[in-house]
Amino acid sequence: MTQTSPITDPVDLAKRRAAEQAAELVQPGMRIGLGTGSTAKHFIDIVGEMVKDGLEVACVPTSEQTRAQAESLGILLTTMEETPGLDLTVDGADEFDSQMRLIKGGGGALLREKIVAAASARMVVIADASKEVKTLGKFPLPVEIVPFGLTATRRAVSAAAALAGCRGTITLREREGRPFVTDGGHYILDCAFGAIPDPEALDDQLSRIPGVVESGLFIGLAKAVIIADTNGIRILGSLT
Ligand code: 5RP
């Protein structure tokens, strides 16, 4: 699949190459989850081109931003209510490790992204090579919380993180001087832990806090990661 205006930025080109590889998994009649972010945007562009060429698929967007892009490309959209089981979800990630554990939520869409990924037979991650890490946590972990009880929840997140061996600054995400509000009406705490030695333990601790809606740790969800850089494509996991 070729892009109309040439991409010159090597990182953006890598994102496009990863998206092109993922698009080869798309089959007529599939129900597809569409991720959010600059890498997923390439995949959605390609699906839009395929739809123009006659492909019939039904897609669930993971954010209002993705919904707007998909609608503008004429991609048929469905909902999780109409289509609770999906064949394939393709999404980006902020970080991934060798076990395909992910940090997501840099774009604030982690809750819908996780619901859609969990409802999919296959979640395939597309990423440029800069997202690969030995230990998760250099990227601040987004944690989606309800606005009520923010200060108490932030404290609880800090205490839970300490139990999982994580310490660092926990910041309420803001946009234009106000709390950033997710598509679900929640806030996000960005947790700059530097390293997350035991992602499963941290996820478990965070899930026990009443004000926490979801963490940006995606564990056991990705079946494959398509990694692109200037040398080409590498696959973690299995695309079949
Ligand atoms: C949005 C996400 C994105 O997948 C993540 O932030 C990666 O984005 P990009 O492809 O722009 O680097 O989790 O909530």
Side-chain angles (χ1 to χ4, degrees):
M1 185 86 29
T2 46
Q3 156 97 353
T4 38
S5 55
I7 300 172
T8 48
D9 174 57
V11 175
D12 203 31
L13 194 58
K15 292 177 182 183
R16 176 78 188 189
R17 294 285 172 259
E20 285 171 350
Q21 184 75 38
E24 292 188 13
L25 302 171
V26 172
Q27 300 288 331
M30 269 189 168
R31 302 152 302 171
I32 302 172
L34 300 175
T36 294
S38 57
T39 317
K41 184 174 182 296
H42 283 294
F43 177 75
I44 299 159
D45 278 337
I46 297 166
V47 172
E49 290 166 25
M50 293 165 82
V51 165
K52 270 200 188 80
D53 290 344
L55 174 79
E56 288 186 12
V57 287
C59 299
V60 175
T62 53
S63 64
E64 293 307 312
Q65 182 190 321
T66 290
R67 174 193 305 284
Q69 185 197 355
E71 276 175 355
S72 76
L73 295 169
I75 296 172
L76 176 70
L77 295 181
T78 179
T79 63
M80 291 301 292
E81 286 64 43
E82 286 168 356
T83 315
L86 303 173
D87 301 297
L88 172 72
T89 284
V90 176
D91 202 349
D94 297 301
E95 277 186 0
F96 64 90
D97 69 7
S98 59
Q99 295 176 55
M100 295 185 286
R101 297 179 295 193
L102 319 173
I103 287 184
K104 286 186 52 57
L110 65 107
L111 178 58
R112 291 190 188 181
E113 289 173 335
K114 201 179 266 190
I115 292 169
V116 169
S120 301
R122 265 191 299 172
M123 179 202 195
V124 172
V125 173
I126 48 177
D128 67 87
S130 71
K131 306 288 182 64
E132 187 169 18
V133 295
K134 243 189 149 117
T135 305
L136 294 177
K138 210 161 90 193
F139 189 92
L141 175 69
V143 177
E144 186 153 348
I145 62 165
V146 293
F148 181 85
L150 160 66
T151 303
T153 302
R154 191 198 311 227
R155 269 194 202 173
V157 166
S158 178
L163 288 175
C166 298
R167 276 186 185 71
T169 310
I170 298 176
T171 312
L172 178 66
R173 190 180 296 183
E174 293 190 351
R175 181 173 285 172
E176 292 162 2
R178 297 179 154 271
F180 172 86
V181 179
T182 68
D183 287 341
H186 305 128
Y187 290 170
I188 287 184
L189 296 175
D190 288 309
C191 306
F193 295 138
I196 301 174
D198 188 342
E200 284 82 359
L202 179 59
D203 198 36
D204 179 50
Q205 287 296 333
L206 292 172
S207 70
R208 296 169 190 235
I209 302 170
V212 167
V213 181
E214 261 308 336
S215 93
L217 285 167
F218 283 47
I219 298 173
L221 286 169
K223 296 280 184 289
V225 183
I226 300 174
I227 311 153
D229 65 12
T230 42
N231 297 321
I233 298 271
R234 203 155 46 86
I235 312 283
L236 266 187
S238 166
L239 291 178
T240 54

